[in-house]
Amino acid sequence: MSLEFLSLKYLAAKSLAIITVTRLPVYWFIVSINKYLILQIDIGNGTQWGESKTIDPIRKIFIPSVKKYCEKFDYDYLLIHESEYEKKYGEFDFLATKFKHYSFERYFHFNNDYDYTIYLDNDIYVFPDAEPLPKFEGLRNVKEPEGNSSKKFRKFYNLDNSYSYFNSGVTFCDKPTAKLLSNYMLYRMENKIRAKGKNSDNMLLNEFILENREIFSEMGNEWNYMPFDQNFTKIKKTNFFHFVGMVGKEIINKLQDKNINVEYFLNELKNE
């Protein structure tokens, strides 16, 4: 065997010794992606609104603004057009009026498989630069400005003036709370256990909050901005703008009467 051959064999062996294959353990990472549902109601003539000049901006501006928000942040969206209450129970005999039952419809849809369920009234406009939904647990709502409903609520439950009354028009729930709230509301409806003080879905929600304080947290009013009351705290950065109640309805109608673009009005108001 020649010296040259031995040299080549040595170099080959040395090269193989250098080239080692190390088998590393394989780790599988399961990434948890939370599923969000934003739901709204638009039944019949426009839920509680009734007048076409009020319904038009709701259907042409407000609801589409919510859909765009969902598309932007990859949230699922559900717009409810049919009354589950009417299908299952026929007569609208639980709340004060037929239209108030439509707001109650949300609770038929809260018992779902989503990690988070967000309800928005259909008179809410979402600004294009609105932030993504915050992290939260339990139930979250925004405090209403002081008014007759809050006074009635505190009177019937002997609460002092420090206790707040909350608006149901924007409701954030995690999965366990959404199921709990759905079961609670449907049980009260089936057994005709009406709210005290005022027979409305909003008063019912406040009774639930009173009974379940440990899972409730107040939310900042940037998520349910209701600036048409003198007692409401004004802020600059707004995500959800709420034309709440009769005052909100009157403003929408006046804007229509004067041919003022609603989105222009909202942006001017925001930039004041």
Side-chain angles (χ1 to χ4, degrees):
M1 188 176 295
S2 68
L3 184 61
E4 184 180 0
F5 179 79
L6 288 172
S7 297
L8 290 172
K9 187 176 179 182
Y10 171 76
L11 290 172
K14 189 175 181 181
S15 298
L16 288 173
I18 293 171
I19 304 171
T20 58
V21 178
T22 303
R23 178 165 296 190
L24 297 174
V26 177
Y27 297 97
W28 293 94
F29 295 96
I30 300 174
V31 179
S32 177
I33 300 175
N34 291 320
K35 293 170 62 182
Y36 290 82
L37 172 68
I38 294 182
L39 67 89
Q40 294 188 284
I41 298 166
D42 184 15
I43 297 173
N45 291 330
T47 307
Q48 72 269 36
W49 290 99
E51 297 180 22
S52 60
K53 65 180 178 181
T54 313
I55 294 168
D56 280 349
I58 285 174
R59 289 180 173 158
K60 294 177 182 178
I61 299 173
F62 300 164
I63 289 175
S65 76
V66 178
K67 290 180 178 178
K68 289 175 185 176
Y69 178 72
C70 291
E71 291 170 3
K72 181 177 180 180
F73 293 108
D74 199 26
Y75 304 140
D76 285 353
Y77 179 78
L78 174 64
L79 183 60
I80 300 162
H81 290 294
E82 296 183 350
S83 170
E84 292 296 320
Y85 188 102
E86 187 172 21
K87 288 179 187 176
K88 294 178 180 179
Y89 302 99
E91 295 182 10
F92 295 97
D93 59 354
F94 178 49
L95 299 174
T97 68
K98 177 180 178 178
F99 290 141
K100 287 186 182 296
H101 287 80
Y102 292 154
S103 296
F104 189 86
E105 289 286 336
R106 73 189 81 171
Y107 299 117
F108 289 98
H109 302 272
F110 270 33
N111 196 344
N112 57 53
D113 291 326
Y114 286 90
D115 298 300
Y116 300 98
T117 298
I118 315 299
Y119 168 79
L120 302 183
D121 276 353
N122 63 16
D123 55 350
I124 286 172
Y125 176 79
V126 179
F127 285 99
D129 62 348
E131 299 168 323
L133 295 170
K135 293 181 180 179
F136 68 93
E137 294 180 352
L139 172 68
R140 303 193 77 177
N141 292 87
V142 174
K143 179 172 64 177
E144 274 197 6
E146 184 66 17
N148 289 331
S149 294
S150 55
K151 291 175 183 176
K152 286 181 180 179
F153 184 72
R154 287 197 294 265
K155 177 182 177 182
F156 275 94
Y157 283 98
N158 295 315
L159 301 167
D160 62 44
N161 289 336
S162 66
Y163 193 88
S164 299
Y165 185 80
F166 298 92
N167 183 264
S168 66
V170 176
T171 299
F172 285 23
C173 292
D174 62 11
K175 184 189 286 187
T177 307
K179 292 180 182 294
L180 176 65
L181 185 54
S182 175
N183 292 333
Y184 173 92
M185 291 296 184
L186 297 183
Y187 175 83
R188 290 193 63 164
M189 178 203 64
E190 289 170 353
N191 292 278
K192 299 296 187 289
I193 305 172
R194 296 178 175 86
K196 296 178 181 179
K198 187 177 180 181
N199 189 15
S200 68
D201 63 291
N202 206 87
M203 193 70 76
L204 281 169
L205 179 67
N206 277 273
E207 291 183 351
F208 176 86
I209 292 170
L210 184 63
E211 295 171 26
N212 297 273
R213 298 189 205 191
E214 70 281 359
I215 61 171
F216 177 77
S217 297
E218 182 179 344
M219 189 162 53
N221 65 2
E222 69 272 18
W223 295 105
N224 187 0
Y225 192 50
M226 302 172 279
F228 304 129
D229 190 289
Q230 62 180 359
N231 297 317
F232 200 74
T233 303
K234 304 294 190 294
I235 61 171
K236 281 288 185 182
K237 184 67 179 83
T238 306
N239 295 314
F240 300 167
F241 191 103
H242 194 177
F243 284 88
V244 65
M246 292 305 298
V247 176
K249 180 179 179 178
E250 288 172 8
I251 290 172
I252 292 174
N253 290 343
K254 285 180 180 178
L255 292 172
Q256 300 291 297
D257 292 339
K258 295 181 179 181
N259 293 317
I260 299 173
N261 181 278
V262 176
E263 287 183 287
Y264 172 80
F265 166 80
L266 285 164
N267 282 294
E268 286 295 302
L269 196 64
K270 184 179 181 181
N271 294 326
E272 280 185 350

